[in-house]
Amino acid sequence: MSRKKMFIVSHAPFWHNGSNIQERCYGMIWAAMPAVALGIVQYGLPAVGVVCLAIATAILAEYLMNRATKRTVTIADGNAALLGLLFAMLIPATTPWWVVVVGTLLTVVIGLHVFGGLGANPFHPVAVSMMMLTVSWPAFMDFDAALVNYELSFKAVFPLTLAKNLGTAAVADFSTLDLLLGRQIGGIGSTFGLGLIAGGIYLIAKRYIRWEICLSFLASLFLTALAFHLTDPVRFAGPMFHLLTGYTLIGAFFLLPESASSPVNPVPMLIYGAAAGVLTMLIRNIGSYHDGVLLAVLLVNLVNPLLDKIRPKALGRMA
Amino acid sequence: MTSEKDLKLILSVAVILFLVGVLCFAAFPIESPQIPNRIQYRSATGHALFEHLEHNTGYDVECLECHHHYAEDREDEEQLACGACHPQEPGKATDPEVCSECHDEEYYEDTEMEARTPAVHSQCIECHAGIGAGPLECAECHMM
């Protein structure tokens, strides 16, 4: 008699979209390309350097971690490359090489492997490493400071910094069209609104991410920003502005819906996205950080296991 | 799960990307231009972003209005930072060598140089107030 194979599974429900990890990761990498391409056009070869170094470091770090922990080598599934790419998309093009390397290592080692690797990470690995860098080296993560040497054809002040300090009038120059076309400073791949939206639609259409999370996040961010704006239109910028600046769109489509750290049931997904939207706006408007998306992602990642307790009762179960 | 072939492929992609990355960092370092484009002053009172070139090209302020001390013989790239003459604390010039390019020591010995920060403040704010454009309030320049 041959030995029985055992599968150990976590509790229901499951969501299967017919694809596998590999397809999903490479799908997300493709979806990110338009946004990254604009960053490279704007910031040139230094941006290429950051992106390449981050992806390479992520793959090599995952390889070494796989070897060190004596697990299957998983670098071909594309997850490490995706994490490296996402990290590079959030940081300025002028980030020094050693910050890129340290940040990518934090992403893969601390954000992912310390918790047991893909599927076991309670937080989005990139949000973890970005917050660590923001706290440790604020000057490198400050877009105004990082990009002083670039002559750009648009106002080179981080829009959320202006909005936070000077209110609505100071950001009147940023039209919705400008923001959609990426005419704002920010991370290498986080400013091109249209590109990110196109990527997001592709991901939703291919069912690599769940629309419930993205849309509830964007809708609640919009409504919260609107409520703030209506209470004090001089101090708080309008909802379209907040929808298209900072990490809103990359957060909606690439960070929040990460499979391991987001809920699996529809109702929890809606709550999860909505909570992230409200938190982001609270941090932006009355908190101390300029952009609240990363912190909001971490906070809702934290309550994700609780949210997933809201689920249909199992049939026939007592109490 | 990963076949040996896939593994080799992805590792070589990683190595190539790594080399391209290193090449970009090594061959195209980000150099500060000799004439600063923007300058960000970081401080606990909030970071002040100064659109240096834009003041000349956009707002038509002559270089010599700011680089004020008989600097017309200096090349553009050789203009001095305010701090080259204005010391951190009020008192003697930061670098007397700079003064002795043009003056005898006796000439400037008794000059009480204004400290750098107040000198910068008064130059920026006086001009803005005079023209009626540009920031005057602390928080308009200093952003947390």
Side-chain angles (χ1 to χ4, degrees), chain A residues 183-263:
Chain A
R183 298 174 56 74
Q184 54 170 323
I185 62 168
I188 292 174
S190 66
T191 58
F192 183 20
L194 274 182
L196 289 167
I197 294 171
I201 292 175
Y202 168 79
L203 291 177
I204 291 174
K206 294 286 264 181
R207 309 213 172 183
Y208 292 146
I209 60 173
R210 294 296 303 257
W211 64 268
E212 287 93 335
I213 295 178
C214 318
L215 292 193
S216 62
F217 170 66
L218 294 175
S220 98
L221 184 138
F222 187 91
L223 292 176
T224 318
L226 184 67
F228 269 108
H229 185 61
L230 291 178
T231 20
D232 191 345
V234 175
R235 187 167 155 215
F236 301 119
M240 275 318 275
F241 173 81
H242 280 292
L243 211 52
L244 300 175
T245 48
Y247 294 146
T248 308
L249 291 173
I250 195 169
F253 298 122
F254 292 90
L255 301 181
L256 271 178
E258 201 258 349
S259 52
S261 52
S262 66

Side-chain angles (χ1 to χ4, degrees), chain A residues 73-88:
Chain A
V73 173
T74 50
I75 53 175
D77 68 17
N79 187 51
L82 174 64
L83 291 180
L85 178 68
L86 286 178
F87 172 71

Side-chain angles (χ1 to χ4, degrees), chain B residues 37-64:
Chain B
N37 181 30
R38 284 183 293 278
I39 303 172
Q40 195 208 41
Y41 296 92
R42 294 185 73 80
S43 90
T45 51
H47 315 311
L49 188 66
F50 171 45
E51 297 264 5
H52 179 254
L53 270 192
E54 182 72 8
H55 269 73
N56 179 256
T57 53
Y59 312 148
D60 291 328
V61 181
E62 290 297 323
C63 309
L64 298 181

Side-chain angles (χ1 to χ4, degrees), chain A residues 26 45 49 52 55-56 59 73 75-76 94-95 97 139 142 144-145 147-151 156 162 165-166 290, chain B residues 1-2 6-7 10-11 14 17-18 20-21 24-25 28 30-33 37-38 40 42 47 49 139-140 143-144:
Chain A
Y26 288 111
L45 287 168
C52 292
I55 298 178
I59 297 175
V73 173
I75 53 175
T94 55
T95 313
W97 65 267
D142 178 333
D144 289 347
L147 301 172
V148 284
N149 294 331
Y150 277 101
E151 279 187 63
L162 275 183
N165 285 277
L166 303 178
H290 299 174
Chain B
M1 285 216 286
T2 312
D6 283 356
L7 190 68
I10 197 86
L11 272 180
L17 286 176
F18 186 78
V20 173
C24 286
F25 272 95
F28 308 98
I30 294 149
E31 283 162 6
S32 320
N37 181 30
R38 284 183 293 278
Q40 195 208 41
R42 294 185 73 80
H47 315 311
L49 188 66
E140 290 177 273
M143 304 213 196
M144 298 307 276

